[in-house]
């Protein structure tokens, strides 16, 4: 088993919480893991990504080779397309719909969505709306993680446990909201896949 | 012991503590910052009384670490690659004094310049100083080699350089830790003059350094970290240094290739191992993260060995960090890319945070300087360097830390008036203060605009050396008290701030304007903390 995942977003959106949850769950399943992160200049509102590789064998490279990512998870629509050259033939792209318009020349959102829809394997999730609906607007990243769950080959209960671990210090209410968000994301993705 | 999921930086930090360091010194700089941060937030450091405070700059950090080594204790000092330029003087001379307690200098290089002005390769500094360099290829090695490095350091009584590159510094993987060693007892150098580099002593010390070179090379030959893996296809062999080894393995395993490979993670270079692989194979591809350090030596000058391939003959890109795709292409394997990036996608460079005080500072400066015309604002390195980008286009230089003050001085000495510099508070104390003293002494007409957000913002909000003391430092250096102005960069103060800056631009002499408002990131973080404690 090996999964290569690119997690994309804009500096400040907290994509590392997604990476960290998958990481914890992978460790619980005794899988090996390499997770490269962006620290530094780009964290100031620039494009950021994390290359996450999980496997039952030894992983050599910290970076995912071109054309071999099984999954791109993006918390921002334009950013989801930036890493297409890394996506494998049968790979999936899962993206949130809320744009971060911190540049003056942000493209027309419809054009971006059209590009996403033109891909064979894609899931578009209104993660911010869903997070608001369950009463936890800040849990949109966990909605995205939930949406990625069916593709990860990791037991869902281990992802839930990872979320508990990650938010342990923040108290039970926050944990419950994030678990709800995780479940909501998973349900939508499962529905989309079976379509 | 339980495995830990650690960044390369964190693995080095954890290993330092487990190897019994008594202190760690550093100035922040991507990609090295997380080493010190890990120690500072670990219970192990506070329990063990491990000293772990930020220094004013890399030079002071290096010297303090050498001072700790003088007492017989183990010490670590960390910086980014360009930081070693700042620390180069104590660094070069520490190879001549040698050490007492083990000393590891960790330098994190940034090939591809993700967050840097250049991509200089610190291995040259290691060779320059003639000390051992270790260059782990993965997180576990980063951990293990710290122990190995301290042993080498104490065996030869020399500092050891541990070189990291961005991708290892900032990539996480599982690390198996060892039992922690206890710290060393205080014990002064046996020879009381070891550290006194008067010429007569320095010559002796230098001869010692020269005399151990063969032994250091032998250490590299025998090191468990420099290994040859045999292969049946000798049409090409590989020498892979540090992290590059992983990219090679990625491709070789995937493609089922079987070539001889020499992995190099300890320097000085192991001549016998290298001779073996270059002798055995028809050609050799050299994979190095950084400059073609080894490749250039093997090719000879003028080029004598054309069988050596790498960055210099176009087999690999001449600049930038390596990746598995570059390595695959170098071997002649076609890389099958996914879909192209659609044309609608725009670049997203970093930008000021919403609500950042630097925005209001630049708006005020731009209006104040409008009458004088463009091209006279020297600046420096920090978040405020983003003032170079649209829509501000507010600064005309960013060279090295502190250079804004001295470049403005040079331009003023040449007759440019007004001549302005924009510098952050941490950069000012790092190396802007000395330049200000030059300007005061020479009565150079410069306006120093200090963007004082009371933190080291660009690297993630570390403690800034002189928070709350910037005015008194400037006054102490000799800036006239009435020429030290403090403004609060807020939109509501805009016209008043423009006026003040204008007055100082017009003044002939040294003036300082401190634009003070707390970094929005730090302010938000401390507000959250406060809420938690209530
Ligand atoms: C010699 C050297 N050391 C460290 C760095 C890394 N570095 C870049 S900007 C910066 C912090 C600047 O802080 P400050 O001057 O307070 O400005 P701010 O980012 O807070 O606006 C650091 C440490 C560097 N580029 N060069």
């Amino acid at each position: 088993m090996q999964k290569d995942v690119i997690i994309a977003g804009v500096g400040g959106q907290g994509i590392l919480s997604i990476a960290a949850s998958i990481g914890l769950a992978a460790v619980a399943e005794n899988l090996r893991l390499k997770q490269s992160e962006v620290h530094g200049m780009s964290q100031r509102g620039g494009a950021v990504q994390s290359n996450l590789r999980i496997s039952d064998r030894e992983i050599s490279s910290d970076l995912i080779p071109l054309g071999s990512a099984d999954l791109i998870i993006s918390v921002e629509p334009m950013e989801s397309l930036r890493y297409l050259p890394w996506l494998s033939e049968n790979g999936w792209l899962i993206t949130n719909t809320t744009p971060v318009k911190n540049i003056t020349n942000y493209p027309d959102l419809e054009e971006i969505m059209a590009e996403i829809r033109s891909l064979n394997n894609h899931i578009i999730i209104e993660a911010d709306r869903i997070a608001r609906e369950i009463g936890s607007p800040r849990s949109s990243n966990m909605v995205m993680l939930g949406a990625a769950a069916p593709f990860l080959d990791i037991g869902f209960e281990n992802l839930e446990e990872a979320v508990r671990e990650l938010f342990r210090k923040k108290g039970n209410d926050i944990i419950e909201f994030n678990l709800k968000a995780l479940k909501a994301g998973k349900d939508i993705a499962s529905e989309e896949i079976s379509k | 012991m339980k495995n830990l999921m650690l960044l390369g930086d964190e693995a080095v930090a954890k290993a330092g503590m487990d190897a019994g360091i008594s202190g760690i010194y550093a100035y922040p700089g991507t990609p090295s910052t997380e080493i010190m941060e890990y120690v500072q937030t670990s219970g192990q450091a506070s329990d063990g009384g491990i000293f772990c405070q930020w220094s004013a700059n890399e030079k002071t950090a290096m010297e303090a670490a050498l001072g700790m080594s003088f007492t017989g204790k183990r010490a670590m000092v960390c910086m980014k690659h360009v930081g070693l330029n700042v620390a180069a003087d104590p660094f070069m001379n520490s190879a001549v004094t040698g050490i007492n307690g083990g000393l590891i200098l960790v330098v994190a290089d940034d090939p591809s310049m993700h967050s840097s002005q250049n991509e200089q390769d610190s291995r040259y500094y290691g060779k320059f100083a003639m000390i051992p360099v270790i260059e782990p290829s993965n997180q576990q090695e980063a951990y293990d080699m710290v122990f190995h490095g301290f042993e080498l350091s104490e065996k030869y009584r020399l500092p050891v350089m541990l070189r990291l590159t961005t991708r290892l510094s900032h990539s996480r993987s599982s690390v198996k830790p060892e039992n922690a060693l206890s710290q060393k007892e205080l014990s002064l150098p046996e020879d009381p003059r070891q550290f006194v580099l008067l010429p007569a002593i320095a010559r002796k010390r230098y001869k010692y350094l020269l005399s151990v070179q063969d032994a250091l090379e032998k250490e590299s030959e025998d090191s468990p970290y420099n290994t040859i893996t045999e292969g049946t296809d000798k049409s090409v062999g590989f020498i892979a240094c540090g992290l590059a080894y992983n990219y090679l393995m990625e491709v070789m395993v995937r493609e089922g290739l079987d070539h001889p490979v020499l992995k190099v993670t300890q320097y000085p270079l192991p001549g016998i191992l290298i001779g073996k692989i270059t002798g055995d194979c028809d050609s050799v591809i050299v994979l190095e993260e950084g400059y073609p350090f080894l490749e250039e030596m093997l090719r000879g000058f003028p080029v004598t060995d054309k069988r050596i391939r790498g960055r210099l003959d176009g087999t690999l890109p001449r600049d930038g960090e390596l990746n598995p795709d570059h390595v695959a292409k170098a071997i002649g394997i076609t890389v099958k890319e996914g879909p192209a990036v659609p044309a609608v996608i725009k670049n997203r460079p970093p930008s000021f945070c919403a609500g950042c005080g630097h925005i209001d500072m630049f708006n005020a400066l731009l209006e104040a300087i409008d009458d004088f015309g463009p091209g006279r604002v020297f600046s420096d390195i920090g978040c405020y360097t983003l003032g170079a980008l649209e829509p501000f286009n507010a600064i005309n230089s960013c060279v090295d830390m502190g250079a804004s003050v001295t470049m403005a001085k040079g331009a003023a000495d040449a007759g440019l008036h007004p001549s302005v510099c924009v510098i952050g508070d941490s950069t000012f104390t790092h190396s802007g203060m000395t330049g200000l003293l030059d300007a005061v002494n020479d009565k150079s007409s410069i306006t120093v605009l200090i963007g004082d957000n009371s933190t080291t913002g660009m690297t993630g909000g570390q403690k800034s050396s002189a928070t709350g003391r910037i005015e008194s430092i400037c006054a102490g250096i000799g800036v006239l008290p009435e020429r030290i102005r403090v403004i609060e960069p807020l939109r509501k103060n805009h016209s008043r701030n423009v006026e003040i800056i204008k007055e100082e631009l017009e003044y002939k002499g040294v003036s300082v304007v401190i634009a003070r408002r707390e970094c929005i990131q730090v302010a938000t973080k401390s507000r959250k903390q406060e809420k938690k404690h209530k």
Side-chain angles (χ1 to χ4, degrees):
Chain A
M1 177 275 189
Q2 170 148 347
K3 291 283 169 199
D4 287 344
V5 184
I6 292 177
I7 307 170
V10 179
Q13 283 192 299
I15 61 165
L16 290 182
S17 64
I18 300 177
S21 311
I22 301 176
L24 285 168
V27 170
E29 302 209 351
N30 278 323
L31 294 169
R32 298 175 197 232
L33 168 98
K34 279 204 171 179
Q35 177 192 324
S36 100
E37 308 171 357
V38 172
H39 296 226
M41 189 117 182
S42 300
Q43 285 177 304
R44 301 270 161 277
V48 293
Q49 47 73 27
S50 172
N51 275 205
L52 183 65
R53 314 190 75 190
I54 46 185
S55 177
D56 52 12
R57 278 158 294 156
E58 185 173 341
I59 306 163
S60 296
S61 169
D62 298 79
L63 294 174
I64 297 171
L66 285 165
S68 57
D70 300 286
L71 202 57
I72 293 175
I73 308 171
S74 182
V75 297
E76 205 276 352
M78 179 170 83
E79 295 309 319
S80 75
L81 296 168
R82 199 179 295 284
Y83 307 97
L84 283 185
W86 279 268
L87 192 61
S88 76
E89 235 177 293
N90 302 316
W92 282 77
L93 182 147
I94 304 176
T95 186
N96 186 12
T97 51
T98 314
V100 175
K101 297 188 176 178
N102 64 348
I103 47 173
T104 48
N105 57 346
Y106 194 92
D108 180 28
L109 189 57
E110 250 326 293
E111 278 185 57
I112 292 175
M113 297 318 285
E115 291 285 354
I116 295 168
R117 278 188 228 104
S118 75
L119 297 167
N120 281 341
N121 298 332
H122 68 268
I123 294 182
I124 298 171
I125 300 242
E126 292 180 59
D128 289 78
R129 181 180 59 79
I130 295 164
R132 270 195 310 276
E133 278 173 12
I134 59 173
S136 178
R138 294 177 51 195
S139 301
S140 65
N141 280 359
M142 291 301 116
V143 177
M144 294 306 302
L145 172 62
F151 301 95
L152 287 172
D153 268 358
I154 288 181
F156 190 68
E157 63 291 346
N158 281 327
L159 282 174
E160 289 180 316
E161 199 46 46
V163 170
R164 275 189 206 102
E165 170 71 23
L166 198 68
F167 294 99
R168 194 164 44 93
K169 286 193 189 137
K170 307 227 160 143
N172 272 337
D173 288 356
I174 304 261
I175 291 177
E176 283 313 313
F177 274 128
N178 282 296
L179 287 174
K180 247 189 190 170
L182 186 75
K183 174 86 171 32
K186 181 191 127 192
D187 290 347
I188 293 174
S190 308
E191 221 173 275
E192 287 278 330
I193 303 165
S194 55
K195 258 188 208 167
Chain B
M1 207 157 295
K2 206 177 137 219
N3 280 17
L4 301 167
M5 198 55 74
L6 300 177
L7 294 176
D9 274 356
E10 295 171 343
V12 168
K14 173 74 177 134
M17 291 189 284
D18 290 349
I21 57 169
S22 297
I24 174 168
Y25 296 87
Y27 182 74
T30 316
S32 70
T33 313
E34 291 79 5
I35 305 171
M36 173 67 97
E37 288 184 330
Y38 186 86
V39 176
Q40 288 179 334
T41 51
S42 75
Q44 197 174 349
S46 42
D47 293 348
I50 299 174
F51 180 90
C52 51
Q53 295 296 325
W54 295 109
S55 303
N57 65 37
E58 293 86 353
K59 179 175 183 287
T60 65
M62 178 79 215
E63 290 155 349
L66 189 62
M68 184 169 273
S69 159
F70 182 94
T71 68
K73 301 203 173 223
R74 285 185 169 181
M76 200 177 240
V77 49
C78 315
M79 58 195 66
K80 70 182 292 171
H81 58 342
V82 288
L84 187 50
N85 299 333
V86 177
D89 200 7
F91 167 71
M92 290 301 296
N93 291 317
S94 70
V96 184
T97 60
I99 56 97
N100 187 25
L103 176 59
I104 293 186
L105 160 69
V106 186
V107 194
D109 292 357
D110 189 18
S112 281
M113 304 179 227
H114 296 281
S115 302
S116 307
Q117 315 101 287
N118 72 29
E119 57 173 32
Q120 66 185 59
D121 185 329
S122 298
R123 293 177 300 168
Y124 287 87
Y125 266 119
K127 185 172 159 60
F128 194 17
M130 293 184 267
I131 59 165
V133 176
I134 49 184
E135 187 190 12
S137 73
N138 59 41
Q139 293 78 357
Q140 184 68 53
E141 274 181 7
Y143 181 89
D144 296 339
M145 290 187 92
V146 167
F147 288 82
H148 181 64
F150 274 121
E151 281 158 22
L152 264 180
S153 172
E154 281 161 3
K155 181 167 174 190
Y156 292 96
R157 317 223 43 84
L158 290 174
V160 166
M161 175 191 288
L162 189 153
R163 180 197 189 221
L164 295 170
T165 48
T166 308
R167 226 29 99 169
L168 179 55
S169 283
H170 289 166
S171 179
R172 212 174 275 287
S173 194
S174 179
V175 172
K176 184 176 178 335
E178 304 279 329
N179 288 324
L181 307 176
S182 43
Q183 291 180 34
K184 305 256 169 181
E185 295 298 323
L186 200 111
S187 93
L188 296 180
E190 268 170 40
D191 172 2
R193 303 209 298 177
Q194 179 193 336
F195 287 82
V196 187
L197 292 187
L198 276 168
I201 302 168
R203 278 181 217 115
K204 274 194 210 137
R205 297 286 327 161
Y206 185 51
K207 283 214 193 300
Y208 167 76
L209 179 60
L210 294 173
S211 75
V212 295
Q213 294 302 308
D214 286 349
L216 294 180
E217 187 174 331
K218 180 82 173 42
E219 290 283 347
S220 292
E221 303 288 0
D222 301 339
S223 170
Y225 298 100
N226 288 339
T227 49
I228 287 191
T229 319
E230 299 296 341
T232 49
D233 184 349
K234 297 193 161 85
S235 61
V236 58
F238 296 92
I239 302 177
C241 301
L243 191 68
Y245 178 76
N246 300 347
Y247 301 138
L248 178 63
M249 283 305 114
E250 178 79 23
V251 176
M252 285 185 65
V253 170
R254 186 181 69 203
E255 306 288 333
L257 304 179
D258 185 22
H259 300 281
V261 176
L262 168 60
K263 175 185 180 187
V264 176
T265 52
Q266 182 175 331
Y267 306 72
L269 288 164
I272 297 171
L273 293 178
I274 289 173
K276 183 164 166 13
I277 197 147
T278 51
D280 279 358
C281 300
D282 300 340
S283 72
V284 171
I285 298 182
V286 184
L287 303 165
E288 302 174 83
E289 192 74 311
Y291 287 11
F293 173 78
L294 167 66
E295 183 189 344
E296 193 170 24
M297 278 198 257
L298 290 188
R299 271 161 59 104
F301 185 83
V303 179
T304 48
D305 195 344
K306 296 219 168 97
R307 303 173 308 127
I308 306 297
R309 297 161 55 202
R311 288 187 185 270
L312 290 170
D313 72 340
T315 298
L316 288 158
R318 180 64 181 77
D319 61 344
E321 63 177 335
L322 296 175
N323 60 39
D325 308 309
H326 288 322
V327 174
K329 280 180 203 157
I331 308 178
I333 294 160
T334 359
V335 171
K336 52 171 197 339
E337 283 191 35
V341 178
V344 296
I345 300 308
K346 298 289 183 290
N347 279 339
R348 196 192 296 265
S351 55
F352 289 119
C353 305
C356 172
H358 292 337
I359 297 175
D360 298 286
M361 172 182 76
F362 277 120
N363 283 336
L365 173 64
L366 283 170
E367 191 171 325
I369 208 165
D370 197 34
D371 294 344
F372 301 99
R376 51 185 68 244
V377 182
F378 300 90
S379 193
D380 234 297
I381 307 183
C383 288
Y384 51 92
T385 317
L386 297 170
L389 306 179
E390 292 289 346
F392 302 96
N393 299 311
I395 63 170
N396 308 107
S397 78
C398 159
V399 181
D400 65 272
M401 292 191 74
S404 62
V405 179
T406 24
M407 284 180 73
K409 177 196 188 304
D413 294 343
L416 185 73
H417 186 82
S419 183
V420 187
C421 67
V422 180
I423 187 168
D425 52 310
S426 181
T427 308
F428 178 69
T429 47
H430 177 285
S431 48
M433 303 190 299
T434 41
L436 183 60
L437 181 60
D438 280 348
V440 166
N441 288 345
D442 301 342
K443 300 194 173 52
S444 306
S445 270
I446 60 169
T447 308
V448 181
L449 182 52
I450 302 179
D452 179 9
N453 54 8
S454 307
T455 192
T456 316
M458 177 54 85
T459 42
Q462 295 76 23
K463 190 171 145 304
S464 183
S465 288
T467 298
R469 285 179 290 149
I470 303 278
E471 291 97 310
S472 55
I473 288 174
C474 293
I477 285 173
V479 182
L480 299 175
E482 65 271 26
R483 301 269 66 114
I484 301 173
R485 317 283 300 266
V486 180
I487 63 174
E488 191 184 13
L490 276 172
R491 201 180 307 169
K492 64 170 193 207
N493 302 336
H494 179 73
S495 44
R496 178 77 193 120
N497 291 346
V498 171
E499 233 171 83
I500 292 175
I501 296 175
K502 250 191 185 155
E503 281 167 26
E504 299 314 316
L505 291 178
E506 275 156 14
Y507 173 70
K508 294 260 167 107
V510 179
S511 64
V512 173
V513 179
I514 301 165
R516 176 170 301 139
R517 200 174 116 209
E518 193 181 22
C519 165
I520 187 85
Q521 295 285 350
V522 174
T524 315
K525 226 185 268 168
S526 39
R527 227 175 296 133
K528 266 192 204 154
Q529 294 264 313
E530 262 168 45
K531 239 168 93 187
K532 231 206 248 152
H533 288 299
K534 262 184 207 160

